[in-house]
Each structure stands twice: as structure tokens, then as C-alpha cells.
């Protein structure tokens, strides 16, 4: 049976290799399966949980759409829209925030990381962000949610909210309890500067990530400067346990060459990193650089990007409004 897919990406700029390998690449293969119904959302309401410059946000919304298209998502097969245009998202988020419990949200590690030491100064939106994410998913009766490993806890919360609502109002299966789709290997791409930290758009050093808009020279330079260790490549995957940077680079290479780490190791075992890094740059240029060119091309045609969003809005709004009407009935509004 086909799956109902939903996923979202924040339009906060600097979409990177982690977003691509952890999520967007997966969106593309799900989009290519005729049996699936896919909805891909530019989550601009999530973006404003931290301060955004309005002009930059507007550009970043378009850039996120351009990235979806450049990566191979077909807007004829999938719905692409931005969250803020469909009012049901904000409304469902409020309703579900009356179902979710403080104790559940207090456990969210991403809030703790993002709020840092001064959590009194974090926005309430940053705290309740996973409830909005649950609203996104549940409005579309989504069965499967492709995400990177960092979103796993938020999905568990979404499942808890769905189940609590269904039980509390005695509406069995009203909200579909979604399954996460998280890749087994490489669900967490790490920073090029620190193999213990995930690759992130908020990391201050641009050298820590390959952006999907990087040009050839930037890719080569970043790979050359990527942190490694002085040992040669091991022959056995177990020897990578204490070598997070090597493991990360080998994982990236293996994923992009549709191979696995064991095979890559057999190719490079005993060699030093210089040769491997040259080949990694070549593979990145082959697979990622064309996306970068296409994003830039698409960004010149803002009318086209805006049309994709408005066509996506029509379809998304219809589905979400229908669901919210049913929610009103259940609640007694
Ligand atoms: P966001 O915008 O931070 O990231 C978008 C997607 O990229 C994945 N990702 C990574 N995967 C592997 N390695 C990394 N270093 C890495 N960095 C990011 C994320 O896991 C994500 O899948 N809350 C979500 C957006 C969202 C959403 C939703 C997702 C809003 N509503 C509903 C699914 C369903 C977020 O902030 O993702």
C-alpha cells in the first residue's frame, strides 16, 4: 500500500549536506514512488521561533523551494507549500498544545540545546515548537515522516499527542499515529570540524558544513580543511569507533557513491587521507554541485517558485481545512 508522507524543512538559509543526506534525498525517492502521496512543507512558522529578518526569510522560503526542486522533487507528484499560508497549522498547534503535557515537552533535548543556558529568554514558540510539528504531521493523516535522527524525539512526541487525543475524545484512529522514516546509516551527518557535533546551519564556521549552494572551490577547500586524524585508513569498520571524523567522511562518501562503509574501507584501507579527500571532493562535485547550479538558476525565476507555492497551498489547504473541521466537531466547537 502507498504511504502518506509528510516532512518539513525550515527556511533558515544555509541548507547543507546534512539536510540533503539526512532528509531531502529520501524525500526524492519517496516522491518517485507512484504509490505514495507526499507533502513537503517549508516550515516558516517554525523558523520564527528565533528572530528572522523578514527580507531574508522571504528569500529563504524561495530558496528552500528551489532546493526541493533542484534535488529532484517533482511538484506535479508532491505538494510543496509554505506552512504560514495554511491557517489550520497554527490553529491545530494551539488545540494540540492543550493535549500535550508540560512534562513531555520538558524532556525535549533540542529545546535544551537551542535555548542554551539562558532559557528564560527563549521564545515560548521555541519551547512549543514540537507541538506545531505534530500539528503539521497529523493534519495530513501522514503515515510516514522522513527525517534525520535529530527529529526522532519530536516524532515520538507527535505519536504521544495523537494517541492521547484519540483516547481522550474516544475517537479511535482519528489521528493516524505516524511512523518515522530515519535512515539506518548516516541519519546524522556530523560537522566537518568536529565529528561529535552534528552538521548544522547555525554553526558559526562555514567550514563546518557543505552548503547546497557551495561552488566547486568551496567544496574542495572545505573537504581539504575537514578535520581528520593522523592514522591511515583502517581495514575494519570497528576501528572507526573512536575516529568520528573519519567515520563521518567515509559515511558521506559511501552514501554518495551508493556503496557502504565496508566497501569504501576495502578501497582505501592503509592509505592516507589526502587521496581519499581528493576523491571525496570529486564525488561531492559530481553529486552536489549540480544541485547548487540548479538552485541558483531557479532563484532567478521567483514567479515560478511562487506559483509552485500557491498551487501547493490550494491542495494543502483543502486537506488541512477538512481535518480541522472534523477536529472542531470532536471538541464541541
Ligand atoms: P530542520 O529544518 O532543522 O532540518 C530539515 C531536515 O534535515 C535533517 N537534518 C539532518 N539530518 C542528518 N544530519 C544532519 N546533520 C542534519 N541536520 C538536519 C532534519 O532531521 C530534518 O529532517 N522540526 C523540523 C522541521 C519540521 C518537520 C515537520 C519535519 C517541521 N514540521 C513535520 C517533519 C515533519 C526541523 O527543524 O528540521
Amino acid at each position: 500500500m502507498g504511504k502518506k508522507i509528510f516532512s518539513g524543512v525550515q527556511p533558515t538559509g544555509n541548507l547543507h549536506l546534512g539536510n540533503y543526506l539526512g532528509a531531502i534525498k529520501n524525500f526524492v525517492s519517496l516522491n518517485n514512488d507512484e504509490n505514495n502521496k507526499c507533502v513537503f512543507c517549508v516550515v516558516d512558522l517554525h523558523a520564527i521561533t528565533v528572530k528572522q529578518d523578514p527580507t531574508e526569510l522571504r528569500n529563504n522560503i524561495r530558496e528552500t523551494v528551489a532546493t526541493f526542486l533542484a534535488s529532484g522533487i517533482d511538484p506535479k507528484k508532491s505538494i510543496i507549500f509554505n506552512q504560514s499560508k495554511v491557517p489550520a497549522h497554527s490553529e491545530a498547534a494551539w488545540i494540540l498544545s492543550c493535549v500535550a503535557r508540560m512534562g513531555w515537552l520538558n524532556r525535549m533535548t533540542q529545546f535544551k540545546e537551542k535555548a542554551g543556558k539562558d532559557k528564560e529568554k527563549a521564545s515560548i514558540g521555541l519551547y512549543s515548537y514540537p507541538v506545531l510539528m505534530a500539528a503539521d504531521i497529523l493534519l495530513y493523516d501522514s503515515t510516514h515522516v522522513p527525517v534525520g535522527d535529530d527529529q526522532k524525539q519530536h516524532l515520538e512526541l507527535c505519536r504521544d499527542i495523537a494517541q492521547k487525543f484519540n483516547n481522550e475524545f474516544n475517537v479511535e484512529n482519528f489521528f493516524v499515529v505516524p511512523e518515522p522514516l530515519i535512515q539506518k546509516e548516516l541519519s546524522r551527518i556530523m560537522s566537518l570540524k568536529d565529528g561529535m557535533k552534528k552538521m548544522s546551519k547555525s554553526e558559526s564556521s562555514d567550514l563546518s558544513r557543505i552548503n547546497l549552494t557551495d561552488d566547486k572551490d568551496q567544496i574542495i577547500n572545505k573537504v581539504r580543511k575537514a578535520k581528520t586524524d593522523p592514522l591511515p585508513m583502517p581495514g575494519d569498520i570497528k576501528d572507526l569507533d573512536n575516529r568520528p571524523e573519519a567515520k563521518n567522511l567515509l559515511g558521506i562518501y559511501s552514501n554518495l557513491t551508493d556503496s557502504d562503509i565496508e566497501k569504501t574501507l576495502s578501497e582505501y584501507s592503509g592509505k592516507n587521507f589526502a587521496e581519499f579527500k581528493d576523491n571525496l571532493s570529486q564525488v561531492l562535485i559530481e553529486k552536489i554541485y549540480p544541485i547548487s547550479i540548479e538552485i541558483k538558476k531557479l532563484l532567478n525565476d521567483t514567479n515560478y517558485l511562487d506559483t509552485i507555492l500557491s498551487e501547493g497551498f490550494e491542495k494543502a489547504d483543502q486537506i488541512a481545512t477538512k481535518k480541522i473541521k472534523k477536529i472542531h466537531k470532536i471538541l464541541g466547537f
Side-chain angles (χ1 to χ4, degrees):
M1 215 181 75
K3 303 180 176 88
K4 282 191 181 171
I5 306 292
F6 187 100
S7 199
V9 175
Q10 289 197 58
T12 38
N14 292 337
L15 286 181
H16 51 72
L17 192 65
N19 299 122
Y20 180 71
L21 295 180
I24 300 172
K25 194 177 168 201
N26 220 351
F27 299 175
V28 177
S29 51
L30 291 161
N31 159 96
N32 289 341
D33 182 338
E34 300 287 340
N35 295 314
N36 296 335
K37 284 197 171 128
C38 301
V39 182
F40 298 118
C41 184
V42 181
V43 291
D44 46 8
L45 294 171
H46 277 102
I48 62 161
T49 54
V50 294
K51 197 164 187 294
Q52 299 293 331
D53 173 82
T55 307
E56 271 177 36
L57 181 60
R58 192 169 295 120
N59 292 335
N60 285 334
I61 291 169
R62 290 184 177 131
E63 191 169 310
T64 308
V65 180
T67 305
F68 285 169
L69 302 179
S71 304
I73 296 174
D74 179 355
K76 290 199 190 75
K77 291 190 192 151
S78 296
I79 299 175
I80 297 173
F81 76 107
N82 60 321
Q83 193 187 27
S84 60
K85 293 289 178 238
V86 177
H89 287 253
S90 321
E91 192 182 339
W94 173 258
I95 293 167
L96 296 180
S97 74
C98 300
V99 177
R101 304 289 98 181
M102 293 281 288
W104 301 356
L105 281 160
N106 285 341
R107 286 201 288 272
M108 296 295 117
T109 53
Q110 195 174 83
F111 173 75
K112 290 180 198 158
E113 276 163 27
K114 286 199 172 167
K117 284 194 197 95
D118 206 355
K119 76 174 195 276
E120 298 290 315
K121 287 215 174 111
S123 71
I124 294 171
L126 190 68
Y127 179 73
S128 63
Y129 160 127
V131 180
L132 175 60
M133 183 165 158
D136 299 341
I137 297 166
L138 299 178
L139 280 172
Y140 296 84
D141 296 332
S142 318
T143 59
H144 294 83
V145 183
V147 281
D149 183 65
D150 61 328
Q151 298 299 320
K152 196 172 167 188
Q153 198 185 27
H154 293 160
L155 272 176
E156 277 157 15
L157 181 91
C158 172
R159 291 168 58 88
D160 289 344
I161 293 175
Q163 275 158 344
K164 183 162 163 59
F165 185 98
N166 290 348
N167 288 340
E168 211 149 85
F169 295 98
N170 215 359
V171 281
E172 209 186 338
N173 300 330
F174 174 70
F175 279 135
V176 175
V177 180
E179 295 292 333
L181 285 179
I182 300 175
Q183 303 191 66
K184 277 190 208 80
E185 279 182 46
L186 231 64
S187 57
R188 188 175 280 255
I189 304 291
M190 308 313 270
S191 156
L192 300 181
K193 289 275 138 204
D194 179 350
M196 302 302 283
K197 257 176 132 172
K198 77 169 183 184
M199 187 178 284
S200 153
K201 40 189 146 186
S202 53
E203 174 73 46
S204 60
S205 168
D206 197 52
L207 291 174
S208 69
R209 60 182 166 261
I210 306 283
N211 297 309
L212 297 177
T213 48
D214 280 347
D215 62 29
K216 285 185 189 175
D217 289 342
Q218 283 169 310
I219 292 175
I220 293 170
N221 184 40
K222 287 177 181 179
V223 172
R224 195 174 289 147
K225 293 201 171 131
K227 187 176 170 196
T228 46
D229 55 48
L231 300 171
M233 291 278 188
D236 192 331
I237 195 163
K238 282 196 204 94
D239 297 332
L240 284 173
D241 282 352
N242 296 317
R243 301 177 65 185
E245 286 84 14
K247 191 172 180 186
N248 188 43
L249 295 182
L250 282 158
I252 294 170
Y253 180 89
S254 307
N255 182 304
L256 289 171
T257 52
D258 295 317
S259 179
D260 51 42
I261 294 191
E262 274 99 343
K263 251 194 225 149
T264 307
L265 278 179
S266 66
E267 217 176 302
Y268 289 97
S269 170
K271 295 185 177 160
N272 64 27
F273 275 96
E275 182 186 339
F276 170 73
K277 279 185 164 183
D278 281 346
N279 291 344
L280 176 60
S281 294
Q282 285 318 309
V283 171
L284 282 164
I285 287 170
E286 218 173 276
K287 304 275 168 143
I288 302 299
Y289 182 56
I291 298 178
S292 164
I293 299 175
E294 188 62 20
I295 292 173
K296 285 173 190 148
K297 206 165 92 194
L298 285 163
L299 281 175
N300 286 325
D301 194 351
T302 50
N303 282 341
Y304 174 63
L305 297 173
D306 293 349
T307 307
I308 300 283
L309 283 175
S310 64
E311 288 176 2
F313 155 75
E314 298 287 343
K315 294 180 202 154
D317 191 56
Q318 227 179 31
I319 302 171
T321 305
K322 233 183 181 170
K323 193 77 179 175
I324 207 91
K325 281 189 182 150
K326 289 185 188 160
I327 297 175
H328 277 215
K329 254 201 185 144
I330 291 171
L331 292 172
F333 288 166

